[in-house]
């Protein structure tokens, strides 16, 4: 499919200020709901965790206990790489007065430690949301989905427990760790994510590449949706999150060889194709979890890169 420079500029642009405000209103709604079950923000305002992002966040605590939670926007909205206005905004609701541990390099998932507390947090959060938004809350396996309106985005509230990850096998060393979250799903599974280090690493790479990293991420995410619409099966085998991580592994200099977006994106595709063997060694943006933990993941990204190279044709005229 042929793409002109003006079209690619539209794909590369961040969401509008209106979408930004609706994203912020989503976290405000969750904060206000939790106030109804005894949480207080003690007059704190909602602010961003990292400059040049939409990582709105606030901390709250129970009025009559030691329980503390950290609420923050995560995912593509927080990282300012979202390309679809109808996407849900992910809001982590993290209990951080207690925490799990994770060890190992490369990262290996830990056994559950605070499942009971996680289930209680999810149940309480669900009750608070239902009080504020009757018939608008839907319980999912990992999250609580809240319907949106013209004022706020649809939201996925993700109750979770703070996890401290130590990049060592020596469990006696507690001097160096990275904060993540453990999501205890209703089906009994446990997922460990690292949204805050993802946020920081993505922002740093964007700055180092003169803001071309996130522009190229938005373009490749848009390509994935277009490829899916055109019947390219590989587009449905990779995730938007995965594509953001895929590009994070590309050396910074490849993002800055060209001023025109079409040539810059072509350079990205060429690097991925020429270095296809590196997929086994790529990490997520957090730098902790492998992008392709299974051989089937490697095959999926190889297929996507092959079809992307055939799909994207730059027309500089």
């Amino acid at each position: 499919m042929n793409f002109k420079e003006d079209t690619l500029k539209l794909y590369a642009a961040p969401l509008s200020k209106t979408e930004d405000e609706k994203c912020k209103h989503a976290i405000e709604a969750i904060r206000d709901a939790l106030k109804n079950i005894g949480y207080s923000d003690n007059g704190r305002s909602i602010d961003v965790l990292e400059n040049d992002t939409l990582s709105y966040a606030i901390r709250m605590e129970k009025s009559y206990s030691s329980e503390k939670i950290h609420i923050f926007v995560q995912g593509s909205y927080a990282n300012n790489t979202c390309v679809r206005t109808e996407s849900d905004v992910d809001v982590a609701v993290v209990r951080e007065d207690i925490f799990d541990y994770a060890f190992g390099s490369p990262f290996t998932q830990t056994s559950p430690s605070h499942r009971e507390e996680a289930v209680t947090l999810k149940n309480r959060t669900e009750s608070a949301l239902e009080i504020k938004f009757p018939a608008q809350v839907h319980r999912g396996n990992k999250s609580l989905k809240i319907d949106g309106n013209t004022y706020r985005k649809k939201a996925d509230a993700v109750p979770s427990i703070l996890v401290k990850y130590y990049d060592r096998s020596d469990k006696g060393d507690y001097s160096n760790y990275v904060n993540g979250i453990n999501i205890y799903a209703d089906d009994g599974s446990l997922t460990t994510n690292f949204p805050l280090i993802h946020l920081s690493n993505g922002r740093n790479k964007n700055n180092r590449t003169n803001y071309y990293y996130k522009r190229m991420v938005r373009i490749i995410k848009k390509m994935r949706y277009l490829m899916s619409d055109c019947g390219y099966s590989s587009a449905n085998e990779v995730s938007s999150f995965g594509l953001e991580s895929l590009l994070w592994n590309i050396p910074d200099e490849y993002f800055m060889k060209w001023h025109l977006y079409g040539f810059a994106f072509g350079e990205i595709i060429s690097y991925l194709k020429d270095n296809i063997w590196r997929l086994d060694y790529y990490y997520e943006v957090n730098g902790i979890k492998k992008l392709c933990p299974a051989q089937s993941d490697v095959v999926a990204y190889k297929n996507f890169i092959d079809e992307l190279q055939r799909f994207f044709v730059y027309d500089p005229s």
Side-chain angles (χ1 to χ4, degrees), residues 61-67:
E61 52 268 333
K62 276 280 193 178
S63 301
Y64 302 105
S65 77
S66 61
E67 189 172 333

Side-chain angles (χ1 to χ4, degrees), residues 133-184:
F133 308 108
Q136 299 178 61
V137 181
H138 316 280
R139 189 177 182 114
N141 187 38
K142 295 181 181 179
S143 67
L144 301 166
K145 300 180 182 299
I146 310 155
D147 295 340
N149 54 32
T150 57
Y151 180 73
R152 68 174 189 277
K153 302 292 297 182
K154 292 186 296 182
D156 280 351
V158 186
S160 47
I161 302 294
L162 176 68
V163 59
K164 294 184 177 181
Y165 167 68
Y166 297 84
D167 188 13
R168 295 178 55 92
S169 58
D170 178 8
K171 297 185 180 182
D173 182 1
Y174 295 94
S175 61
N176 186 25
Y177 63 87
V178 172
N179 283 341
I181 61 174
N182 269 353
I183 305 167
Y184 293 82

